[in-house]
Amino acid sequence: MSNIVGNYSRRRAVVPIRSGRRVLACAAARAVDGVENGSESGNPDGVPPAGRGGGAGGSGVGSVGSAGSARGGVNGGSGRGRSLPWGDAVLSAVAGVGWAVVGMGGTAALGLHLVGADARGSLGALTAAVVALAVGGSVSPSVDVSAFGMTGAEAHVAFQATPLGVSLVGAVVLGFFFLRSLRGVGGAGAGAGSWRELVLRAGVLVVLFGSAVLGISWVGRGVVRLDGGDLGLRRVAGGGGWLGGLVSDRVGDLARAEVAVRFVVDLVPTVLGGVGWCIGVLVVALLASRRTSLPAGWEPVRRVVRPAVSAVVTVLLVAVGAGVAAAGYAAVGDDHPGRVVGAALLGAPNGAWLAVPLGLFVPWDGRAGGVLRMVLPHPVDQFLTGSPGRAVTVGRLAELDGRVWLLAVGAGLLMVGAGVLTAVRTPSGTRRIVLWCGVRLGVATGVALPVLVWLTGTSVDASLSVLGFDAFGTGVELRGRVGVAVVAGVVWGGVAGVLGGWVVGRRVGAGRSSVPGAVGGPYSPSPPYRAPNPDTNPYLRLPEVPPVSGGDDVSGAPTVASPTLPPPPRRRHRSSGASDPGPPPPPPREPGG
């Protein structure tokens, strides 16, 4: 009997349903062996329950149900039985690393081309060297003076700087692909396997990025040819004085020649620096992203860390945008706009993130001399040239140019914006939001500000000595005080967080729910502006009942019977195609009548 019912059910196109709006949802609900496996049968997994049916058919259904239960136990639950997605992790890591390297290489190549560096050396080797510096590597330059036939001369070149424009492009692209691959790792139903998948994806990405940096290190070696006259050697050669005729003549020979500066990327420091840079980017991206799900047990990270970190990252990106806009404005009125744009591509974050600690009253120590002082912005170059050994502060720079005070105003507004963003993104009650915002933003800024000071530190030196005398020397060095940056970050962050929490609590507190401990937000119910009034709201008015004659009491009214209508005539049921037989025939006559 069960086989007959099963065969009949397989031939049905659609299971009969009662609601017409659910036809599409139930069109695939079919019965197998007399048991429905669709969502309408109360069995959404499509697995027949055990024990239904009779005889052999019932036992067969029960075995299918047991198999379905076992399969659900493997794939569901805590996720411990799931295998890690190695293939998807490798593919996403290859895409992320590939696009990050392409983005950094394209930005570095375009910036070098616009500043004219490709006319002095190989663009490919220079691009590789710039990318290596951007990910925390190091480059060793050297000058071979003996190639010019000069004996007794020594040259020294040292370079330490990070092109943060290239670094920022790589960090944004790498973080985007990493966060995109984490969709579905945590969230509802995530179990113990989600944190293992997170570690797997991050580890594969770090390994592939380290391999890419290793390849870049092999390419980053070449020669840059510079004109000795552009370095100021002609002025030294014609100076005479204590150098004497012999030294002056030899320096003059070098000034009329091309100086070849050889550079090579240091292999081991660059690979280690690239791995550390990649880990740092992934950690910041995971902490700053507010929409990426986290593994089970990481709820404090979402509630405590993410609001402040995301706010700090947002204001730092705004600062970079302001620096790019200022560079674009300067390029419009400059004689060489390409150089300004190229310098902005390579180092716009350097200037923006140097200005933020300086505007927050973090002092900087520096020196500048020779032709390299032209790379510093005004009035920093003028201050370091005229006041060597003095710390660079906003107040001292304002003595040379009063517009420097706008830097402090802009940095203060950025911190207030960070405080407001932290308060808006903090899921806590209105009574403690002010304190929590101050503490969290203070800690985040106390960590971020020293990192900015360390990243924007710059040191470039070039010197030439002939017969033991310093014939030529130029250099720029600018480094902030890390200890002061920590204190300034904690103080500014704490004050900005408290101020932002107070502003948000005062503006939004009236619209939040009055339930203690409830999370406020734009969708929380707000109290009405006034009490309900039926005169202004027609939906609150009661329907009017017409009065009954003889008084309002209708209990004594006479009962009136309604008229009785005759029943409708009954219709005869005729079969299709039959004719009307008419009246019955008369009875037969009696014989003899």
Side-chain angles (χ1 to χ4, degrees):
M1 185 64 182
S2 60
N3 294 333
I4 297 176
V5 176
N7 294 333
Y8 170 75
S9 301
R10 290 189 185 95
R11 294 178 181 178
R12 287 192 304 170
V14 178
V15 174
I17 53 177
R18 296 182 178 179
S19 177
R21 291 179 297 178
R22 303 164 73 176
V23 172
L24 295 179
C26 301
R30 302 175 183 271
V32 178
D33 292 337
V35 179
E36 292 183 359
N37 61 353
S39 58
E40 293 295 319
S41 63
N43 187 15
D45 296 334
V47 180
R52 185 176 296 183
S59 61
V61 173
S63 62
V64 175
S66 302
S69 302
R71 183 171 60 252
V74 173
N75 296 334
S78 63
R80 296 181 180 179
R82 293 186 303 173
S83 60
L84 296 178
W86 284 92
D88 184 70
V90 172
L91 291 178
S92 61
V94 169
V97 173
W99 282 109
V101 172
V102 169
M104 288 189 293
T107 304
L110 181 59
L112 291 172
H113 172 71
L114 291 177
V115 299
D118 53 345
R120 302 291 184 178
S122 174
L123 183 60
L126 289 172
T127 301
V130 171
V131 172
L133 291 172
V135 298
S138 61
V139 177
S140 298
S142 62
V143 180
D144 188 6
V145 185
S146 61
F148 303 99
M150 297 183 60
T151 58
E154 297 180 355
H156 172 73
V157 178
F159 182 85
Q160 185 178 358
T162 304
L164 294 179
V166 181
S167 302
L168 183 60
V169 172
V172 170
V173 176
L174 194 65
F176 170 77
F177 279 93
F178 175 64
L179 296 178
R180 185 178 180 85
S181 66
L182 292 180
R183 293 182 179 180
V185 173
S194 57
W195 70 267
R196 293 185 298 165
E197 184 175 348
L198 174 63
V199 173
L200 169 66
R201 293 182 181 274
V204 173
L205 192 63
V206 170
V207 171
L208 290 181
F209 189 81
S211 303
V213 173
L214 179 63
I216 293 174
S217 303
W218 283 105
V219 181
R221 57 186 65 196
V223 179
V224 176
R225 299 188 179 278
L226 302 175
D227 188 3
D230 297 338
L231 299 176
L233 295 179
R234 288 193 179 95
R235 293 191 299 269
V236 177
W242 62 271
L243 287 175
L246 180 60
V247 175
S248 179
D249 292 341
R250 295 196 176 189
V251 174
D253 296 338
L254 184 60
R256 290 186 293 272
E258 288 186 350
V259 180
V261 180
R262 304 180 185 274
F263 63 92
V264 58
V265 177
D266 300 329
L267 184 62
V268 176
T270 301
V271 173
L272 295 179
V275 170
W277 179 86
C278 182
I279 295 175
V281 168
L282 299 185
V283 171
V284 173
L286 190 62
L287 295 180
S289 175
R290 299 182 295 117
R291 299 180 180 179
T292 303
S293 57
L294 293 174
W298 289 33
E299 183 64 19
V301 176
R302 186 190 67 83
R303 290 187 295 100
V304 179
V305 180
R306 276 187 168 179
V309 176
S310 63
V312 172
V313 171
T314 301
V315 298
L316 291 181
L317 293 179
V318 171
V320 174
V324 172
Y329 177 78
V332 173
D334 194 84
D335 297 335
H336 303 281
R339 295 181 181 179
V340 178
V341 175
L345 287 175
L346 297 176
N350 292 70
W353 293 345
L354 185 148
V356 171
L358 185 62
L360 298 179
F361 303 102
V362 176
W364 291 72
D365 299 322
R367 59 179 178 83
V371 295
L372 289 178
R373 69 175 182 271
M374 295 185 299
V375 302
L376 295 175
H378 177 79
V380 178
D381 56 345
Q382 182 180 354
F383 177 81
L384 292 179
T385 303
S387 303
R390 298 179 63 188
V392 181
T393 60
V394 176
R396 292 173 180 174
L397 292 179
E399 297 175 359
L400 302 176
D401 191 345
R403 294 175 297 179
V404 177
W405 286 115
L406 296 177
L407 188 63
V409 175
L413 291 178
L414 286 178
M415 292 305 303
V416 173
V420 173
L421 289 177
T422 303
V424 171
R425 298 171 180 177
T426 298
S428 59
T430 57
R431 292 179 297 178
R432 303 179 60 184
I433 189 173
V434 176
L435 177 62
W436 278 117
C437 288
V439 172
R440 295 168 183 174
L441 187 59
V443 174
T445 312
V447 175
L449 211 60
V451 173
L452 293 183
V453 170
W454 173 66
L455 288 177
T456 54
T458 303
S459 176
V460 181
D461 291 301
S463 62
L464 174 66
S465 61
V466 179
L467 300 178
F469 296 96
D470 293 333
F472 166 78
T474 180
V476 172
E477 184 176 5
L478 194 61
R479 299 187 182 278
R481 300 180 181 179
V482 178
V484 180
V486 174
V487 178
V490 172
V491 173
W492 277 97
V495 173
V498 170
L499 181 60
W502 177 79
V503 171
V504 173
R506 187 177 182 85
R507 297 286 296 178
V508 187
R512 290 184 174 178
S513 177
S514 59
V515 180
V519 179
Y523 301 104
S524 300
S526 59
Y529 294 100
R530 57 187 176 183
N533 187 4
D535 296 335
T536 58
N537 190 352
Y539 296 99
L540 298 178
R541 301 173 187 173
L542 297 176
E544 298 182 359
V545 180
V548 180
S549 59
D552 295 338
D553 189 8
V554 296
S555 59
T559 303
V560 179
S562 60
T564 303
L565 299 178
R570 299 181 60 183
R571 297 182 180 180
R572 296 181 178 179
H573 298 280
R574 301 178 182 178
S575 59
S576 58
S579 59
D580 190 1
R589 296 181 178 180
E590 296 180 0

